[in-house]
Amino acid sequence: MTAVRTPVFDPVLHFADVTFAGSGSAGASGADPENARHVALTGMALTMVGACRRALDLVLDHVRTRRQFDAPIGSFQAVQHKAADMHVAIERARALAYFAALTIAEDDPRRGLAASMAKASAGECQALEFRNAVQLFGAMGHTRENDLQFAVKRAKAAELMLGGAAEHRALVADRWVAEAATPRTPPSSTNSTPPGRGPPRTRR
C-alpha cells in the first residue's frame, strides 16, 4: 500500500491518494468500498456542520460586542434574521448528518441515501453560513487575523470532497424518481374485512 498526501484548501486536513498493490479485488479482500464511501460522506457532512457551528459562535460573540449607533449590532433586526437563518440551517444539516451516522451504525439499507442527503444539506448549509458570517463580520471576515478563516477553510475543503451539494441533491432526486417508477405489488384482496374488525353481524 502506498499513500501520497494530497494538498487541499485547508492545510490542517489530511487527505491522501491510497493505492493498494497485490491485494486482489475489493470483494476478495473483504473490503466494502461502497460502505467506506458512505462513512466518508457522513464524516465530511459532520465536519462541515462543526465548522458552521463554530462560525455561528464567532458571529454571535462579535455581534454582541460590536457597537454601532450606540447599540450592539446584534440588536438590529436584519442581523438577527441572518443569525436565525444560520442556526436553522445548522440544525437541519446536523439532524441529517446524525441520521446518516445512525443508518451506518445499524447497517440500514437507507445509509447510501442518508449519506447523500447529509452531504447535500451540509454543503448548502456552509454556503449560507459563510456568506452571512463574512458579511456580519464586515471587512474583518476576509482577513487571516480573524478566526473565521479557519472554519471557512475547513467547510469549503469538505464541500469539495466526494461531490458537492448539487451532485448529491441530484443523486437523491434520481433515487426517489427510480423508487417512484418501480411498480408496487397491490395488497391481497382475498380478505376484504378491514383490520381490527370481525365478520359482519346479522340481525335476528
Side-chain angles (χ1 to χ4, degrees):
M1 183 187 75
T2 58
V4 180
R5 183 170 179 179
T6 302
V8 291
F9 188 61
D10 181 2
V12 181
L13 288 177
H14 298 278
F15 288 95
D17 291 325
V18 181
T19 304
F20 296 91
S23 59
S25 64
S29 62
D32 187 351
E34 193 64 21
N35 187 64
R37 177 176 172 79
H38 300 159
V39 172
L41 287 173
T42 304
M44 290 293 97
L46 289 166
T47 296
M48 283 188 280
V49 170
C52 291
R53 181 67 236 188
R54 176 57 178 160
L56 179 58
D57 290 342
L58 290 171
V59 165
L60 293 178
D61 288 341
H62 176 69
V63 300
R64 290 188 184 109
T65 56
R66 177 76 167 89
R67 297 181 67 86
Q68 191 71 8
F69 305 108
D70 294 327
I73 63 174
S75 64
F76 303 149
Q77 191 175 50
V79 173
Q80 295 172 1
H81 285 173
K82 288 185 180 297
D85 290 342
M86 293 169 71
H87 174 73
V88 170
I90 289 172
E91 292 306 307
R92 182 185 67 172
R94 188 203 307 273
L96 286 170
Y98 283 178
F99 175 70
L102 287 172
T103 59
I104 292 171
E106 297 295 328
D107 197 23
D108 192 303
R110 298 172 296 174
R111 60 184 180 274
L113 178 63
S116 287
M117 291 173 64
K119 187 66 162 60
S121 181
E124 293 169 351
C125 175
Q126 63 83 27
L128 170 70
E129 294 298 311
F130 295 109
R131 182 171 64 248
N132 288 352
V134 169
Q135 182 178 3
L136 292 177
F137 262 104
M140 293 186 298
H142 291 282
T143 63
R144 288 179 176 268
E145 289 77 12
N146 194 300
D147 287 346
L148 181 65
Q149 52 125 349
F150 295 111
V152 171
K153 290 178 179 179
R154 177 61 52 88
K156 292 297 182 184
E159 159 67 2
L160 296 173
M161 297 298 297
L162 304 176
E167 178 181 343
H168 285 283
R169 180 174 284 276
L171 289 174
V172 172
D174 291 342
R175 175 78 175 267
W176 282 109
V177 169
E179 290 186 358
T182 303
R184 298 185 179 182
T185 304
S188 175
S189 59
T190 55
N191 183 9
S192 59
T193 303
R197 295 185 181 181
R201 297 180 179 180
T202 56
R203 292 187 177 181
R204 294 183 178 179

